[in-house]
């Protein structure tokens, strides 16, 4: 098989990555495309700031995870 044939047969995965740092100021997201071995950056990124209620809810969950999971929020 030629390199072109191999590239055409490779499956592509659309990946959304999300993370929130320890400052709990917001959530960062990015969109990537991967073949399972390497990835391509798409430069599609966003940062969304948490409102006060969400920030305090997450800080409480961080301090008391067992209580947070038991509570119906």
């Amino acid at each position: 098989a030629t390199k072109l044939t191999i590239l055409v047969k490779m499956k592509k995965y659309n990946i959304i990555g999300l993370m929130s740092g320890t400052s709990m100021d917001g959530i960062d997201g990015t969109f990537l495309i991967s073949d399972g071995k390497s990835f391509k950056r798409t430069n599609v990124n966003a940062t969304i700031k948490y409102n006060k209620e969400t920030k305090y809810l997450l800080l409480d969950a961080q301090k008391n995870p067992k209580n947070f999971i038991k509570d119906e929020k």
Side-chain angles (χ1 to χ4, degrees), residues 11-15 31-36:
K11 191 164 186 146
K12 300 286 183 191
Y13 299 95
N14 296 325
I15 301 167
F31 177 72
L32 305 169
I33 299 171
S34 176
D35 61 8

Side-chain angles (χ1 to χ4, degrees), residues 14-67:
N14 296 325
I15 301 167
I16 297 173
L18 301 171
M19 73 164 281
S20 180
T22 56
S23 65
M24 295 293 183
D25 59 347
I27 189 163
D28 300 308
T30 190
F31 177 72
L32 305 169
I33 299 171
S34 176
D35 61 8
K37 293 183 180 181
S38 62
F39 65 89
K40 177 183 173 190
R41 296 180 192 273
T42 62
N43 293 322
V44 176
N45 307 297
T47 299
I48 299 172
K49 299 286 183 187
Y50 292 136
N51 62 33
K52 285 183 182 180
E53 181 182 349
T54 301
K55 181 175 180 173
Y56 293 131
L57 186 70
L58 291 171
L59 288 169
D60 185 48
Q62 185 180 44
K63 290 177 188 173
N64 304 298
K66 287 182 183 179
N67 291 339

